[in-house]
Amino acid sequence: MPGAAEDLTALTTLRLPAKAAARRDVTDLPALREALADARAAGLPVIVLGEGSNVVFAGDVDALVLRYTATGREVIAEDDASVTLRVAAGEHWHTLVCWCLEQGYHGLENLALIPGTVGAAPIQNIGAYGVELAPFVEAVHAVRIADGETLTLSRAECAFAYRDSIFKGALRDAVVITAVDFRLPRAHVPVTDYPSLREALAGQAAPPEPRDVFDAVVALRRARLPDPATTPNAGSFFKNPVVDAATAEALARRYPGMPQFAAPGGRKLAAGWLIEQCGWRGAEGEGVAVHPGHALVLVSRGGDGRALLALAQRIQDSVAETFGCRLEIEPRVYGAAA
Ligand code: NAP
């Protein structure tokens, strides 16, 4: 393990300044097992990063920061109805979406332009414009950090839920995802009922093809969301809260314009709307801000993780005070004082 502190600033899309005791990029399974063994020998916990698009470093970490950067895609099964792909965890998510579209493998179009790697995608069960990853996942392959053993989890074992999976629960920080198997249909009816997507496609004469959905999603995201390459951010900073039916009804009576959606366990509220109503859109902290174009996205303007979490807490407090529900932070947070 290198002795010197390793700078992490360039490893996350928020570009928050932080250091780690050690860091390593590995491109294959033997190198991964060796790095894990070295971390065990040095007594260091392991933090796994992909492209760092859903991670907040609130301070320095006494850990090995590890990236598994293996790339590659192969067809492992196919028939007239579908194709099953095995994709290495280090592949760039959007590149996979583009490639699938070109090959005629459908279903992932709505998930275009979500930042991050293939290995990161199952962790939060990425979702956008009415589609989530879970139904396309056949299996997730991983290596256990504690002993280097290989694991394969079926879709059911991944315990996918709204922006959630076993990798955020029982297996949080316990495995390195090395590959994902996807089963994609050849004939697919595009999912176009998400309001902004339906609107974007409304002018078309013919029923939308997967390529049309892809183009519309790319245009919508480019118009609304800041590009992490130029504006450091981690996408949605808060999860959409789910409240029980009675609470939802009371809120709807009090705030007639409040968006609410059906969700398991009650009604889903739009976190961005709640934040905006509390007047936070465009607000600034110390080198951090609420994106002026989208209140759900916090951006860094040279500030650090402590300032970002302080701003997040002020937003959480204000939403809780106004609407009685506490927003949960979506990205993984490391290095925060207990
Ligand atoms: P929007 O259309 O302004 O809607 C705001 C919120 O309302 C969304 O978060 C969405 O929940 C929910 N919503 C709207 N219509 C819905 C419907 N018919 N059924 C269920 N839920 C509905 O959203 P936006 O902020 O521009 O984002 C568009 C899409 O991109 C959303 O799906 C969003 O999740 C996704 N996105 C993801 C990230 C990320 O970092 N993970 C960042 C930005 C945007 P859902 O979030 O559950 O869809």
Side-chain angles (χ1 to χ4, degrees):
M1 290 286 119
E6 301 272 346
D7 188 19
L8 302 176
T9 313
L11 298 196
T12 64
T13 57
L14 270 164
R15 302 185 65 83
L16 300 170
K19 291 189 167 31
R23 62 161 286 220
R24 184 110 48 110
D25 287 350
V26 291
T27 56
D28 56 32
L29 287 174
L32 172 60
R33 291 205 176 87
E34 190 185 309
L36 295 176
D38 288 351
R40 277 196 297 281
L44 287 177
V46 175
I47 295 175
V48 186
L49 287 190
E51 289 169 14
S53 58
N54 202 41
V55 172
V56 174
F57 281 116
D60 295 345
V61 288
D62 195 18
L64 166 67
V65 169
L66 182 80
R67 294 194 299 188
Y68 183 69
T69 56
T71 55
R73 320 165 187 130
E74 62 173 314
V75 174
I76 57 170
E78 63 183 317
D79 57 28
D80 290 347
S82 68
V83 61
T84 306
L85 305 173
R86 178 158 301 161
V87 186
E91 288 271 334
H92 179 57
W93 174 259
H94 181 68
T95 305
L96 174 69
V97 175
C98 296
W99 181 78
C100 287
L101 194 63
E102 279 158 24
Q103 306 300 311
Y105 309 150
H106 299 136
L108 304 181
E109 318 63 62
N110 299 53
L111 306 179
L113 272 193
I114 294 186
T117 58
V118 166
I123 297 176
Q124 65 153 328
N125 182 21
I126 56 172
Y129 300 99
V131 169
E132 60 182 36
L133 184 76
F136 301 105
V137 173
E138 277 292 280
V140 173
H141 304 277
V143 166
R144 199 156 51 203
I145 289 172
D147 57 10
E149 283 301 307
T150 306
L151 308 175
T152 296
L153 288 91
S154 67
R155 182 191 312 133
E157 287 168 332
C158 290
F160 289 122
Y162 178 65
R163 301 285 191 277
D164 200 16
S165 73
I166 192 166
F167 308 108
K168 288 179 91 172
L171 290 185
R172 188 191 145 113
D173 293 331
V175 297
V176 181
I177 293 174
T178 53
V180 182
D181 295 349
F182 299 97
R183 185 153 182 246
L184 302 174
R186 292 183 189 279
H188 173 69
V189 180
V191 177
T192 58
D193 46 2
Y194 192 89
S196 51
L197 185 55
R198 195 175 50 221
E199 214 173 284
L201 293 165
Q204 286 200 181
E209 295 288 326
R211 159 67 60 185
D212 302 318
V213 175
F214 173 89
D215 289 343
V217 167
V218 166
L220 282 167
R221 289 191 76 105
R222 291 218 165 109
R224 192 106 204 271
L225 293 164
D227 179 356
T230 49
T231 307
N233 76 87
S236 305
F237 203 83
F238 300 99
K239 283 191 190 182
N240 289 326
V242 174
V243 297
D244 61 48
T247 307
E249 268 169 41
L251 283 168
R253 273 196 301 276
R254 186 145 178 224
Y255 304 98
M258 175 184 273
Q260 297 191 353
F261 307 96
R267 308 276 294 163
K268 181 179 76 177
L269 311 181
W273 188 90
L274 303 176
I275 296 167
E276 191 160 346
Q277 295 302 303
C278 293
W280 287 100
R281 178 133 80 105
E284 297 197 37
E286 285 171 54
V288 294
V290 181
H291 185 58
H294 199 315
L296 196 49
V297 180
L298 302 192
V299 301
S300 167
R301 295 178 179 155
D304 63 16
R306 266 173 268 276
L308 191 75
L309 290 185
L311 176 62
Q313 188 170 348
R314 285 164 60 211
I315 294 170
Q316 286 169 310
D317 291 347
S318 131
V319 168
E321 203 173 300
T322 308
F323 297 107
C325 64
R326 189 143 193 98
L327 297 179
E328 204 183 310
I329 291 178
E330 184 175 290
R332 292 183 289 155
V333 178
Y334 295 105

